[in-house]
Amino acid sequence: MTSAERSAPPRVADERTMLETWLDFHRATLALKCEGLDDKALREASAPPSELTLLGLVRHMAEVERNWFRRVLDGEQVEPIWYSREDPEGEFHFADGNTTEECFAIWREEIAKARTAAEGRSLEDVVPGPGGHDYNLRWIYVHMIEEYARHNGHADLVRERIDGATGD
C-alpha cells in the first residue's frame, strides 16, 4: 500500500471540478484511514458484532466504483469482484485469499476505470440504471461523494477502535 496524499478541494471552482475534487478527497481520506496499519489490523472487525473492517470498506468501495461507473455509466457487463447472491456482504469476508496489496490495487484500478468512464461525458449525460431509473453523471458523482463520506465516518470509528488514531 502506498502513502496516501490528500488535497483539499478548491473553495471556488466550476461544478465538474468541484464534484471530481471532492470525490478524490474522499477517496484519499479512505486511504489515509488505512495508512500505517498491517494486514491483521486492516482486517480487524473492531466494533463487534459488526463485521465492518477497514479492508472490507476498501473492497466495498471498489465494488461501488465498479457498479456506478462501469456497469451503470458505461453499460459494461462486469461481474462483482467479491460479493455474490450467496454472500451479499462478500467484500467483508476474506475467504478469497486476496492480499491487502491486491485489494488496494483492485480498488485503485476501479478508481482509474471510473475516471476513464466519466472522461468526456457531460454532467447531464443520462444513462439507464438500477430499478429502471435514469441517472445522470452529476447524480453519480454526488452519490459517490455521499457513499465515501458515510463510509469514511465508519472508517474513522473503526480506526479509532484499533489504535486510537483520529482525524479528518
Side-chain angles (χ1 to χ4, degrees):
M1 186 170 64
T2 60
S3 178
E5 291 186 26
R6 183 177 68 168
S7 299
R11 289 185 175 82
V12 178
D14 63 273
E15 183 181 17
R16 175 94 181 223
T17 300
M18 192 67 73
L19 292 169
E20 288 178 349
T21 57
W22 270 107
L23 180 53
D24 284 341
F25 176 84
H26 281 292
R27 288 167 170 156
T29 298
L30 181 57
L32 283 170
K33 293 295 169 192
C34 298
E35 194 168 67
L37 295 175
D38 64 16
D39 184 69
K40 182 177 184 248
L42 288 168
R43 294 171 189 256
E44 182 179 336
S46 64
S50 172
E51 293 183 299
L52 201 62
T53 65
L54 290 169
L55 190 58
L57 286 170
V58 167
R59 288 164 47 123
H60 174 69
M61 291 312 301
E63 294 279 14
V64 174
E65 295 270 3
R66 184 179 187 94
N67 182 62
W68 284 105
F69 288 102
R70 292 180 66 189
R71 283 193 197 104
V72 176
L73 186 62
D74 247 3
E76 194 177 339
Q77 299 298 313
V78 290
E79 295 296 318
I81 307 164
W82 292 290
Y83 74 87
S84 65
R85 284 193 178 127
E86 299 77 32
D87 188 6
E89 301 293 321
E91 59 264 53
F92 295 99
H93 305 144
F94 302 108
D96 54 54
N98 286 124
T99 66
T100 294
E101 290 77 19
E102 289 169 327
C103 294
F104 274 87
I106 290 167
W107 177 52
R108 285 190 299 270
E109 181 180 331
E110 290 301 329
I111 290 170
K113 288 181 178 181
R115 288 185 177 120
T116 299
E119 225 171 60
R121 293 182 185 261
S122 163
L123 293 176
E124 288 78 27
D125 281 0
V126 175
V127 294
H133 301 288
D134 288 338
Y135 297 87
N136 64 19
L137 179 55
R138 177 183 291 103
W139 188 96
I140 293 170
Y141 275 142
V142 171
H143 175 67
M144 291 299 296
I145 292 165
E146 174 272 329
E147 183 89 7
Y148 270 101
R150 181 166 31 96
H151 290 312
N152 283 338
H154 297 140
D156 198 38
L157 294 170
V158 170
R159 178 67 189 252
E160 185 175 7
R161 293 286 309 243
I162 291 170
D163 67 358
T166 60
D168 294 342

